[in-house]
Amino acid sequence: MYVIHGGNTIEGKVRVQGAKNTVLPILAAALLLSEPVTLKGCPRISDVYTMLALIEQLGGAWSWRGEILTVDGTGIKNWEVDGLLAQECRASILFMGALLGREKKVRIHRPGGCAIGKRPINIHVEGMKQLGAKVREEEDFIHVSGERMQSGTFHMKFPSVGATQNLILSCVKLPGITKLYNGAREPEVVYLCDFLRKCGAKIQGERTDCIVIQGVKRLKGVSYEIPGDRIVGGTYLTMAAASGGSAQIEHVQLWEIESLLFLLERMGCSIYRNQKSVILYRNPKNRLKSVEQLYTQPFPGFPTDMQSQWMVAAAVARGKSKVCEKIFENRFQIVAPLKQMGANIHVEQDTAIIEGVENLSGCEVWGKDLRGACALMVAGAVAKGTTLVHGQKYIDRGHEDIVRDFKLLGVKVQQTK
């Protein structure tokens, strides 16, 4: 668990790690390449190691030298994805598209990941069926044959990030032109397309309503630098806003986090934007302002992955705030532990209503998912007294070294067994 002595002013500078949600689809894409790929700045987190273990189980290889991760998928012959490993990481489902694009067939276990609500893969499957794949679903496994897949058009009923990435991976080497309408526009989709283009893919329109993919026969290996993690950066900015003080967050792309920055400015924070860094300041003597209504939405709206962390800031803001969760129905697992810490929150269906209190109080709490556990770390930094946070296995899925980063921002924290 983590032991946090909170209630202190934030002051410090952090360079955020490489983005978890960007590197995981790129690792899956390595299976499509005819040469090894080198990735700079890949975060050493448990989800990455799970993906690498799956690549190795499929017949690939990888090695890490300093900041450089080399992944070689050229020796892969297996098309069955291990069930136990797949259940450890939600992104394992992306091997469905990659293996379909490489081997024309795949047998994969339904993915695991954090229990934040229903996370169906029906859009993934519908898209592949629309393009001619044969799909047989069992209770735990999915079998897909792509021998008769052809380029075509698919209209997504919801802009699912994973489904968009999976369909791109399955179609990037498919002859002809494929068009995906209403695909996700999240940075993780943009970076996957950027990476594949550098490898020789022909993709355009990933920031628009229609992604156009012209199939190519071969993809080469390249060197690619993983951008900073927008959710990690956003977590630290939100902690500074809730605690008061100043934080300089480096290695972030402003266009990825503008919805959060705009919100924090409305709440009374001063924000200074540089090319790849953000400085946030809030006078600790002035409480944050409440927000009448906030909705989580697909990009460029406010991200569901930042909802739990923002709720901590709202819990100590002056007045009433509301957050409506439109992506995952189980994102409010953090409410009960925050109430243990003195927060005044009640939930009505998909909306949390938060009456701000002056202070939170430290106690022992349990995180039940990655973002919720990180939010409880933020709450511990904000609260008066000592907070014990359980949930390292979740935090390790997305944070390389949260203790190091918190200490760089002036938080008194240690990890114990």
Side-chain angles (χ1 to χ4, degrees), residues 99-358:
L99 285 170
L100 199 58
R102 178 190 176 101
E103 299 293 325
K104 302 300 181 186
K105 57 184 175 179
V106 59
R107 179 178 184 268
I108 188 167
H109 196 284
R110 293 184 183 276
C114 289
I116 55 176
K118 296 177 182 177
R119 306 174 82 177
I121 57 169
N122 57 303
I123 301 177
H124 306 237
V125 171
E126 287 170 9
M128 291 172 185
K129 285 181 176 179
Q130 183 74 33
L131 297 173
K134 290 187 176 181
V135 181
R136 179 165 56 88
E137 296 189 61
E138 298 175 354
E139 184 177 352
D140 294 325
F141 283 88
I142 302 167
H143 304 252
V144 186
S145 172
E147 294 293 339
R148 296 185 178 180
M149 278 188 72
Q150 295 181 340
S151 56
T153 299
F154 179 61
H155 294 258
M156 299 176 68
K157 62 183 180 183
F158 178 81
S160 161
V161 174
T164 302
Q165 293 168 333
N166 237 339
L167 289 166
I168 290 170
L169 292 171
S170 65
C171 295
V172 71
K173 296 176 76 173
L174 192 66
I177 295 176
T178 301
K179 295 181 179 181
L180 304 178
Y181 286 93
N182 195 36
R185 305 182 194 184
E186 268 72 3
E188 297 78 30
V189 172
V190 172
Y191 290 127
L192 174 62
C193 293
D194 180 58
F195 168 76
L196 288 169
R197 264 195 301 269
K198 284 180 167 56
C199 296
K202 295 181 179 180
I203 305 173
Q204 60 184 12
E206 64 272 15
R207 294 181 189 237
T208 72
D209 184 60
C210 180
I211 301 173
V212 181
I213 308 162
Q214 183 175 343
V216 297
K217 291 183 178 181
R218 180 179 179 273
L219 295 172
K220 63 182 180 180
V222 295
S223 178
Y224 194 79
E225 183 169 1
I226 304 301
D229 195 306
R230 64 187 176 112
I231 305 301
V232 171
T235 298
Y236 299 157
L237 287 166
T238 304
M239 181 170 69
S243 302
S246 65
Q248 181 171 341
I249 308 301
E250 299 183 333
H251 196 215
V252 291
Q253 300 286 339
L254 294 177
W255 69 274
E256 300 180 31
I257 59 172
E258 272 301 338
S259 63
L260 173 64
L261 298 182
F262 174 73
L263 188 66
L264 295 178
E265 284 178 320
R266 281 177 57 195
M267 297 177 77
C269 298
S270 298
I271 294 177
Y272 305 91
R273 296 162 171 83
N274 296 315
Q275 188 172 2
K276 286 192 177 182
S277 69
V278 175
I279 299 173
L280 180 144
Y281 173 74
R282 179 178 76 81
N283 188 334
K285 296 179 181 179
N286 300 328
R287 286 179 65 185
L288 289 171
K289 303 172 186 176
S290 60
V291 173
E292 183 177 341
Q293 189 82 57
L294 173 66
Y295 294 86
T296 60
Q297 297 174 317
F299 190 85
F302 190 83
T304 181
D305 278 354
M306 279 301 306
Q307 185 254 97
S308 297
Q309 302 90 310
W310 177 82
M311 191 181 290
V312 176
V316 293
R318 186 186 303 277
K320 180 190 292 186
S321 298
K322 291 182 181 180
V323 56
C324 188
E325 175 57 56
K326 291 295 187 182
I327 309 297
F328 295 117
E329 74 276 7
N330 234 11
R331 277 287 197 201
F332 291 147
Q333 295 181 92
I334 191 178
V335 170
L338 282 182
K339 290 173 75 170
Q340 284 180 252
M341 300 178 73
N344 185 354
I345 307 171
H346 74 275
V347 176
E348 297 177 358
Q349 296 181 335
D350 63 356
T351 300
I353 301 165
I354 309 147
E355 292 276 3
V357 297
E358 191 136 354

Side-chain angles (χ1 to χ4, degrees), residues 47-58:
D47 270 13
V48 165
Y49 284 111
T50 299
M51 293 290 280
L52 292 175
L54 282 165
I55 289 172
E56 193 170 358
Q57 179 261 334
L58 289 166

